[in-house]
Amino acid sequence: MLKARTPLLVGLLVIAAVGAFVFTFGSLDRGMSEKDAYTVYARFDDATGLAPGSRIMIAGIEVGRLGKPVLDPEDPAKARVPLLIKKEIILKKGIWDAEKRTWVNGAAAVRRQASLIGDYDVVLSTGLDGEVIPPGGLIPNIVNETGISAVIKKLEDSSRAIFPQLEKITTDISTITGSLREAIGDEKGSAALTKIRDDVEKTTDNVQKLTSEMRAFLNEKIFPRSENLERIMGHLERASSQLADASGSSLERIDKILARIETVSGDISRFVKDQTAPADQAKDGTVSKVLAGVDKNLALIEGSLENVRKITSDVEQGRGTIGRLLTDDKLINDVERVIGDVQDFTSTFTRTQVKVQFRTDYFVGRSAYKSTIDFQLQPSPDKYYLFQLVDDPLGKTERKLRVTASNDPDVPPILVEDIAETTGDFKITAQFAKRFHFLTFRYGLMESTGGIGVDADLLNDSLNFKVDAFDFGRTDRPRFRLLAQWEFLNHFFIGFGIDDILNDASRDWFVGLGLRFTDDTLKSVLPFVPKP
């Protein structure tokens, strides 16, 4: 009866393990299906970068995926893009404004650049008013361009209205320059301009020397350390998107500004007449007075340039806070060392493997089952940490020595009792292992007692021999166990062994069946993995 029941129980255990394995991997998230979503369409002038499977976003949250763009059957010059959206997202068509010929407060789809390599996604606005867009409906409001390209396009449209106004302004400026020519065309004006020219040439030479020194300093000290270009480009993209949104609302203001410019140009003409009066009749703030003060201002500019040159020299030599930050090699090395330590910590975590093993053994002599769950954290090929949760039919035995003093003449005056208590609590194993070629040595806590072990892994680790010695505090001999197991099918293995070899009274044979696999997802529940 016992021999017939053992294979039956082992077979039921295998069926239960396979069922649990299929149920676990079959219940993984499969993403959004068409049963949980509905399809609407958007008509874009340009579908470049809108690849099938691209994301659909609302307020930075993904709510759907794009289908394959095709030419619109009603308007072949445009692209018709299907949008697969979650059912809980409700899109409203908006209210038709006959005067502006557009849908107001309706849903909108925006083609937005998602990265610098040309990928795009679609940003949705659900709309506020109007009827709900049904499955198969069309989103009324489309924004085809965002970012820098949208700004350039809007500026091109605005330039067509600006150029006629600029021509009129140019005519007014010609009149002004003619008046200036009459005012400074005499000998005094020519002499003043000659002196200004000489001063400007001298200042230009000084500026050129300064810029050369600044360029050399930047090339040697600043540019080699600038590694934030990608982050700056991201900020520029967001700023350009905001600029594109703002430029649309600025067109009406430009018309008003141009009208004001016409008024201002007339005022300028009158102002120039006042400013070009003879020097003896000129008022404070006029051109004549300004020319007299130019020489003084140029001297001040030269002094300022000298101060800038001195500051640049201090920074280059490492003086001051900024100079030390840019030239102190020790400070830079300290920062690089901290970054390297952070990289070492994160790389240790990411390369750690998590191996899980479930094993059940049947002990022939005791007619009992022993179940074990193993978690193996392996940060490198030659080291790992082993954690076990063991349900042992022998239970957990604790020994106590009780001494009793008695006045009863029928019993000894001092009674010494050795009490052994056995409970069914789970046992814990926590060991560190080090591998040398095909041999692995383990030490640490084994089934809630101190223990050591040696493993021999052969045939590409599919055949394993294990020797364990633990529970050295027993009154009899320590517990000594031999185990051989073979992975006969991917992830499945069988085992055979002898437990408690050194003690005749408790020696027992056992056979087992188990399942093991690697599960990297378990790393997400670990706060960190120590580096051995």
Side-chain angles (χ1 to χ4, degrees):
M1 180 65 181
L2 178 60
K3 294 182 179 180
R5 188 177 64 176
T6 299
L8 177 60
L9 293 176
V10 172
L12 292 176
L13 177 62
V14 173
I15 294 174
V18 172
F21 178 81
V22 173
F23 175 78
T24 300
F25 285 90
S27 60
L28 296 176
D29 185 15
R30 304 178 183 274
M32 185 179 67
S33 65
E34 294 184 358
K35 295 181 180 180
D36 302 326
Y38 67 99
T39 302
V40 295
Y41 296 92
R43 186 179 296 159
F44 288 92
D45 293 336
D46 184 7
T48 302
L50 297 179
S54 296
R55 299 180 301 172
I56 302 173
M57 312 292 288
I58 293 180
I61 300 174
E62 181 179 344
V63 298
R65 293 281 180 167
L66 295 182
K68 181 179 180 181
V70 297
L71 291 178
D72 188 75
E74 298 179 1
D75 188 358
K78 295 185 177 181
R80 187 167 181 260
V81 181
L83 282 69
L84 187 65
I85 303 173
K86 294 180 179 180
K87 288 185 176 180
E88 60 265 29
I89 303 301
I90 299 176
L91 303 179
K92 294 186 179 181
K93 193 172 185 179
I95 300 175
W96 175 254
D97 189 340
E99 182 178 352
K100 296 182 179 180
R101 299 188 61 79
T102 184
W103 292 92
V104 180
N105 293 335
V110 180
R111 173 173 168 263
R112 183 185 68 177
Q113 186 171 358
S115 67
L116 294 177
I117 62 175
D119 293 333
Y120 286 79
D121 55 17
V122 172
V123 178
L124 275 184
S125 173
T126 57
L128 301 175
D129 299 323
E131 301 176 354
V132 176
I133 299 177
L138 187 67
I139 295 178
N141 298 317
I142 302 297
V143 178
N144 289 282
E145 295 286 342
T146 60
I148 296 177
S149 59
V151 174
I152 294 174
K153 184 176 180 181
K154 291 186 178 181
L155 290 177
E156 288 177 353
D157 295 338
S158 300
S159 64
R160 296 189 183 95
I162 293 174
F163 285 142
Q165 304 294 337
L166 291 177
E167 291 178 359
K168 187 174 181 181
I169 294 172
T170 303
T171 302
D172 294 338
I173 292 175
S174 298
T175 303
I176 294 171
T177 54
S179 300
L180 286 173
R181 188 183 300 110
E182 295 176 358
I184 61 176
D186 55 5
E187 294 181 357
K188 293 183 179 180
S190 298
L193 290 176
T194 301
K195 189 175 185 305
I196 292 172
R197 182 195 63 191
D198 296 337
D199 293 339
V200 170
E201 288 180 355
K202 183 178 179 181
T203 303
T204 301
D205 292 337
N206 294 333
V207 172
Q208 185 176 3
K209 293 179 181 178
L210 179 61
T211 54
S212 299
E213 295 176 1
M214 288 287 291
R215 186 181 298 109
F217 171 73
L218 292 175
N219 290 333
E220 295 175 1
K221 301 297 182 179
I222 303 299
F223 292 156
R225 306 181 188 275
S226 59
E227 300 176 353
N228 298 325
L229 180 59
E230 183 176 354
R231 183 172 57 190
I232 293 173
M233 291 299 295
H235 294 330
L236 180 60
E237 178 67 20
R238 289 192 293 271
S240 63
S241 178
Q242 295 174 358
L243 180 60
D245 296 337
S247 62
S249 61
S250 300
L251 293 177
E252 295 181 359
R253 297 181 180 178
I254 291 176
D255 294 335
K256 295 180 180 179
I257 291 171
L258 291 175
R260 293 176 181 176
I261 288 175
E262 294 181 4
T263 303
V264 172
S265 63
D267 296 338
I268 290 175
S269 180
R270 292 188 296 271
F271 175 77
V272 169
K273 292 181 181 179
D274 295 336
Q275 296 296 316
T276 55
D280 54 349
Q281 300 177 6
K283 300 178 181 179
D284 292 338
T286 59
V287 174
S288 299
K289 292 291 185 180
V290 171
L291 291 175
V294 167
D295 292 338
K296 182 179 179 180
N297 294 332
L298 288 176
L300 295 176
I301 291 175
E302 290 181 2
S304 299
L305 292 176
E306 182 63 28
N307 292 334
V308 172
R309 185 183 294 107
K310 182 179 179 182
I311 292 172
T312 304
S313 176
D314 292 343
V315 171
E316 185 175 5
Q317 296 177 11
R319 293 195 292 264
T321 302
I322 297 177
R324 184 171 178 268
L325 289 175
L326 296 176
T327 59
D328 190 346
D329 292 335
K330 182 179 181 302
L331 179 61
I332 295 172
N333 292 335
D334 292 341
V335 174
E336 292 177 349
R337 184 165 54 254
V338 171
I339 294 175
D341 294 341
V342 174
Q343 290 177 345
D344 291 341
F345 176 80
T346 56
S347 63
T348 300
F349 177 75
T350 55
R351 67 171 179 260
T352 299
Q353 279 192 335
V354 181
K355 296 182 179 180
V356 184
Q357 176 176 293
F358 303 93
R359 187 177 80 243
T360 298
D361 299 321
Y362 175 74
F363 287 81
V364 178
R366 306 186 191 106
S367 297
Y369 291 93
K370 177 180 179 180
S371 299
T372 306
I373 301 176
D374 295 6
F375 296 95
Q376 181 175 318
L377 307 181
Q378 188 163 358
S380 62
D382 62 338
K383 302 180 183 71
Y384 66 85
Y385 300 93
L386 177 63
F387 301 94
Q388 287 184 334
L389 186 63
V390 183
D391 182 14
D392 193 345
L394 293 178
K396 185 177 180 180
T397 302
E398 294 184 358
R399 294 185 175 274
K400 299 179 180 179
L401 188 66
R402 185 168 64 187
V403 179
T404 305
S406 175
N407 296 322
D408 189 348
D410 296 333
V411 297
I414 298 177
L415 179 63
V416 179
E417 297 176 290
D418 187 4
I419 302 174
E421 295 182 355
T422 301
T423 62
D425 295 341
F426 284 99
K427 297 180 179 180
I428 302 297
T429 297
Q431 291 187 320
F432 171 72
K434 174 68 175 179
R435 180 166 181 169
F436 300 92
H437 299 291
F438 66 93
L439 291 178
T440 302
F441 297 89
R442 296 176 282 108
Y443 67 92
L445 187 68
M446 182 177 294
E447 297 191 8
S448 300
T449 65
I452 58 175
V454 180
D455 301 341
D457 301 313
L458 307 174
L459 301 179
N460 199 21
D461 293 350
S462 62
L463 181 62
N464 314 112
F465 296 94
K466 297 179 180 291
V467 180
D468 296 329
F470 57 100
D471 201 0
F472 294 97
R474 298 169 61 179
T475 56
D476 47 7
R477 297 181 181 89
R479 191 171 175 181
F480 196 78
R481 179 171 60 205
L482 295 177
L483 169 65
Q485 61 185 23
W486 171 52
E487 187 175 3
F488 64 94
L489 186 64
N490 193 20
H491 301 304
F492 294 92
F493 63 90
I494 57 176
F496 175 80
I498 308 175
D499 188 20
D500 208 355
I501 299 175
L502 303 179
N503 297 291
D504 296 336
S506 57
R507 184 186 302 120
D508 200 354
W509 299 83
F510 64 90
V511 293
L513 180 66
L515 167 69
R516 59 187 173 194
F517 56 89
T518 299
D519 189 358
D520 290 336
T521 60
L522 289 178
K523 290 192 295 184
S524 62
V525 303
L526 301 176
F528 59 88
V529 176
K531 182 176 179 180

PDB file of all heavy atoms in Angstrom, residues 104-121:
ATOM      1  N   VAL A 104     -15.270  74.715 -31.403  1.00  0.00           N
ATOM      2  CA  VAL A 104     -14.841  75.365 -30.171  1.00  0.00           C
ATOM      3  C   VAL A 104     -15.046  74.398 -28.999  1.00  0.00           C
ATOM      4  O   VAL A 104     -16.091  73.759 -28.896  1.00  0.00           O
ATOM      5  CB  VAL A 104     -15.617  76.682 -29.932  1.00  0.00           C
ATOM      6  CG1 VAL A 104     -15.152  77.337 -28.626  1.00  0.00           C
ATOM      7  CG2 VAL A 104     -15.432  77.616 -31.104  1.00  0.00           C
ATOM      8  N   ASN A 105     -14.044  74.340 -28.110  1.00  0.00           N
ATOM      9  CA  ASN A 105     -14.099  73.492 -26.913  1.00  0.00           C
ATOM     10  C   ASN A 105     -14.272  72.016 -27.263  1.00  0.00           C
ATOM     11  O   ASN A 105     -14.894  71.253 -26.509  1.00  0.00           O
ATOM     12  CB  ASN A 105     -15.215  73.930 -25.961  1.00  0.00           C
ATOM     13  CG  ASN A 105     -14.946  75.296 -25.361  1.00  0.00           C
ATOM     14  OD1 ASN A 105     -13.797  75.719 -25.254  1.00  0.00           O
ATOM     15  ND2 ASN A 105     -15.995  76.009 -24.989  1.00  0.00           N
ATOM     16  N   GLY A 106     -13.727  71.599 -28.408  1.00  0.00           N
ATOM     17  CA  GLY A 106     -13.805  70.207 -28.816  1.00  0.00           C
ATOM     18  C   GLY A 106     -12.490  69.487 -28.580  1.00  0.00           C
ATOM     19  O   GLY A 106     -11.463  70.087 -28.246  1.00  0.00           O
ATOM     20  N   ALA A 107     -12.509  68.176 -28.745  1.00  0.00           N
ATOM     21  CA  ALA A 107     -11.300  67.372 -28.579  1.00  0.00           C
ATOM     22  C   ALA A 107     -10.265  67.772 -29.622  1.00  0.00           C
ATOM     23  O   ALA A 107     -10.599  68.167 -30.734  1.00  0.00           O
ATOM     24  CB  ALA A 107     -11.633  65.881 -28.706  1.00  0.00           C
ATOM     25  N   ALA A 108      -8.992  67.653 -29.243  1.00  0.00           N
ATOM     26  CA  ALA A 108      -7.897  68.030 -30.141  1.00  0.00           C
ATOM     27  C   ALA A 108      -6.792  66.989 -30.039  1.00  0.00           C
ATOM     28  O   ALA A 108      -6.554  66.406 -28.978  1.00  0.00           O
ATOM     29  CB  ALA A 108      -7.343  69.410 -29.790  1.00  0.00           C
ATOM     30  N   ALA A 109      -6.112  66.750 -31.178  1.00  0.00           N
ATOM     31  CA  ALA A 109      -4.968  65.837 -31.247  1.00  0.00           C
ATOM     32  C   ALA A 109      -3.756  66.618 -31.719  1.00  0.00           C
ATOM     33  O   ALA A 109      -3.811  67.294 -32.740  1.00  0.00           O
ATOM     34  CB  ALA A 109      -5.247  64.669 -32.195  1.00  0.00           C
ATOM     35  N   VAL A 110      -2.668  66.528 -30.965  1.00  0.00           N
ATOM     36  CA  VAL A 110      -1.451  67.290 -31.259  1.00  0.00           C
ATOM     37  C   VAL A 110      -0.336  66.303 -31.591  1.00  0.00           C
ATOM     38  O   VAL A 110      -0.071  65.372 -30.815  1.00  0.00           O
ATOM     39  CB  VAL A 110      -1.027  68.164 -30.054  1.00  0.00           C
ATOM     40  CG1 VAL A 110       0.239  68.944 -30.388  1.00  0.00           C
ATOM     41  CG2 VAL A 110      -2.153  69.113 -29.689  1.00  0.00           C
ATOM     42  N   ARG A 111       0.304  66.487 -32.746  1.00  0.00           N
ATOM     43  CA  ARG A 111       1.478  65.679 -33.138  1.00  0.00           C
ATOM     44  C   ARG A 111       2.706  66.311 -32.483  1.00  0.00           C
ATOM     45  O   ARG A 111       3.109  67.415 -32.829  1.00  0.00           O
ATOM     46  CB  ARG A 111       1.621  65.652 -34.653  1.00  0.00           C
ATOM     47  CG  ARG A 111       2.891  64.991 -35.181  1.00  0.00           C
ATOM     48  CD  ARG A 111       2.813  64.896 -36.707  1.00  0.00           C
ATOM     49  NE  ARG A 111       4.088  64.529 -37.302  1.00  0.00           N
ATOM     50  CZ  ARG A 111       4.949  65.377 -37.814  1.00  0.00           C
ATOM     51  NH1 ARG A 111       4.690  66.685 -37.785  1.00  0.00           N
ATOM     52  NH2 ARG A 111       6.078  64.968 -38.359  1.00  0.00           N
ATOM     53  N   ARG A 112       3.313  65.592 -31.516  1.00  0.00           N
ATOM     54  CA  ARG A 112       4.391  66.151 -30.718  1.00  0.00           C
ATOM     55  C   ARG A 112       5.647  65.304 -30.873  1.00  0.00           C
ATOM     56  O   ARG A 112       5.591  64.075 -30.892  1.00  0.00           O
ATOM     57  CB  ARG A 112       3.996  66.172 -29.234  1.00  0.00           C
ATOM     58  CG  ARG A 112       5.049  66.809 -28.325  1.00  0.00           C
ATOM     59  CD  ARG A 112       4.658  66.682 -26.873  1.00  0.00           C
ATOM     60  NE  ARG A 112       4.705  65.285 -26.439  1.00  0.00           N
ATOM     61  CZ  ARG A 112       4.474  64.889 -25.205  1.00  0.00           C
ATOM     62  NH1 ARG A 112       4.162  65.774 -24.273  1.00  0.00           N
ATOM     63  NH2 ARG A 112       4.525  63.612 -24.880  1.00  0.00           N
ATOM     64  N   GLN A 113       6.779  65.979 -31.009  1.00  0.00           N
ATOM     65  CA  GLN A 113       8.054  65.285 -31.115  1.00  0.00           C
ATOM     66  C   GLN A 113       8.429  64.726 -29.751  1.00  0.00           C
ATOM     67  O   GLN A 113       8.518  65.443 -28.764  1.00  0.00           O
ATOM     68  CB  GLN A 113       9.148  66.221 -31.622  1.00  0.00           C
ATOM     69  CG  GLN A 113      10.472  65.509 -31.899  1.00  0.00           C
ATOM     70  CD  GLN A 113      11.473  66.411 -32.597  1.00  0.00           C
ATOM     71  OE1 GLN A 113      11.160  67.548 -32.901  1.00  0.00           O
ATOM     72  NE2 GLN A 113      12.656  65.891 -32.856  1.00  0.00           N
ATOM     73  N   ALA A 114       8.683  63.394 -29.693  1.00  0.00           N
ATOM     74  CA  ALA A 114       8.960  62.727 -28.431  1.00  0.00           C
ATOM     75  C   ALA A 114      10.437  62.599 -28.136  1.00  0.00           C
ATOM     76  O   ALA A 114      10.821  62.386 -26.993  1.00  0.00           O
ATOM     77  CB  ALA A 114       8.326  61.321 -28.429  1.00  0.00           C
ATOM     78  N   SER A 115      11.311  62.724 -29.137  1.00  0.00           N
ATOM     79  CA  SER A 115      12.749  62.602 -28.916  1.00  0.00           C
ATOM     80  C   SER A 115      13.491  63.318 -30.016  1.00  0.00           C
ATOM     81  O   SER A 115      12.901  63.733 -31.022  1.00  0.00           O
ATOM     82  CB  SER A 115      13.167  61.122 -28.859  1.00  0.00           C
ATOM     83  OG  SER A 115      12.980  60.524 -30.131  1.00  0.00           O
ATOM     84  N   LEU A 116      14.809  63.445 -29.865  1.00  0.00           N
ATOM     85  CA  LEU A 116      15.645  64.144 -30.835  1.00  0.00           C
ATOM     86  C   LEU A 116      15.897  63.319 -32.087  1.00  0.00           C
ATOM     87  O   LEU A 116      16.399  63.848 -33.081  1.00  0.00           O
ATOM     88  CB  LEU A 116      16.989  64.508 -30.192  1.00  0.00           C
ATOM     89  CG  LEU A 116      16.914  65.531 -29.042  1.00  0.00           C
ATOM     90  CD1 LEU A 116      18.289  65.750 -28.454  1.00  0.00           C
ATOM     91  CD2 LEU A 116      16.321  66.842 -29.520  1.00  0.00           C
ATOM     92  N   ILE A 117      15.561  62.009 -32.080  1.00  0.00           N
ATOM     93  CA  ILE A 117      15.837  61.161 -33.244  1.00  0.00           C
ATOM     94  C   ILE A 117      14.651  61.105 -34.191  1.00  0.00           C
ATOM     95  O   ILE A 117      14.677  60.356 -35.169  1.00  0.00           O
ATOM     96  CB  ILE A 117      16.210  59.744 -32.783  1.00  0.00           C
ATOM     97  CG1 ILE A 117      15.045  59.102 -32.022  1.00  0.00           C
ATOM     98  CG2 ILE A 117      17.452  59.767 -31.935  1.00  0.00           C
ATOM     99  CD1 ILE A 117      15.297  57.649 -31.652  1.00  0.00           C
ATOM    100  N   GLY A 118      13.602  61.873 -33.963  1.00  0.00           N
ATOM    101  CA  GLY A 118      12.508  61.968 -34.923  1.00  0.00           C
ATOM    102  C   GLY A 118      11.272  61.178 -34.563  1.00  0.00           C
ATOM    103  O   GLY A 118      10.369  61.053 -35.384  1.00  0.00           O
ATOM    104  N   ASP A 119      11.209  60.606 -33.355  1.00  0.00           N
ATOM    105  CA  ASP A 119      10.013  59.888 -32.941  1.00  0.00           C
ATOM    106  C   ASP A 119       8.945  60.879 -32.493  1.00  0.00           C
ATOM    107  O   ASP A 119       9.244  61.883 -31.860  1.00  0.00           O
ATOM    108  CB  ASP A 119      10.329  58.925 -31.795  1.00  0.00           C
ATOM    109  CG  ASP A 119      11.238  57.814 -32.266  1.00  0.00           C
ATOM    110  OD1 ASP A 119      11.199  57.484 -33.459  1.00  0.00           O
ATOM    111  OD2 ASP A 119      11.984  57.291 -31.430  1.00  0.00           O
ATOM    112  N   TYR A 120       7.687  60.578 -32.810  1.00  0.00           N
ATOM    113  CA  TYR A 120       6.565  61.439 -32.436  1.00  0.00           C
ATOM    114  C   TYR A 120       5.527  60.617 -31.685  1.00  0.00           C
ATOM    115  O   TYR A 120       5.416  59.397 -31.851  1.00  0.00           O
ATOM    116  CB  TYR A 120       5.923  62.057 -33.689  1.00  0.00           C
ATOM    117  CG  TYR A 120       6.732  63.161 -34.322  1.00  0.00           C
ATOM    118  CD1 TYR A 120       7.822  62.864 -35.136  1.00  0.00           C
ATOM    119  CD2 TYR A 120       6.424  64.509 -34.111  1.00  0.00           C
ATOM    120  CE1 TYR A 120       8.566  63.873 -35.721  1.00  0.00           C
ATOM    121  CE2 TYR A 120       7.174  65.525 -34.699  1.00  0.00           C
ATOM    122  CZ  TYR A 120       8.244  65.186 -35.504  1.00  0.00           C
ATOM    123  OH  TYR A 120       8.964  66.179 -36.081  1.00  0.00           O
ATOM    124  N   ASP A 121       4.763  61.304 -30.833  1.00  0.00           N
ATOM    125  CA  ASP A 121       3.585  60.705 -30.249  1.00  0.00           C
ATOM    126  C   ASP A 121       2.431  61.711 -30.369  1.00  0.00           C
ATOM    127  O   ASP A 121       2.599  62.795 -30.925  1.00  0.00           O
ATOM    128  CB  ASP A 121       3.827  60.309 -28.789  1.00  0.00           C
ATOM    129  CG  ASP A 121       4.311  61.479 -27.954  1.00  0.00           C
ATOM    130  OD1 ASP A 121       4.158  62.646 -28.404  1.00  0.00           O
ATOM    131  OD2 ASP A 121       4.843  61.247 -26.870  1.00  0.00           O
TER     132      ASP A 121
END
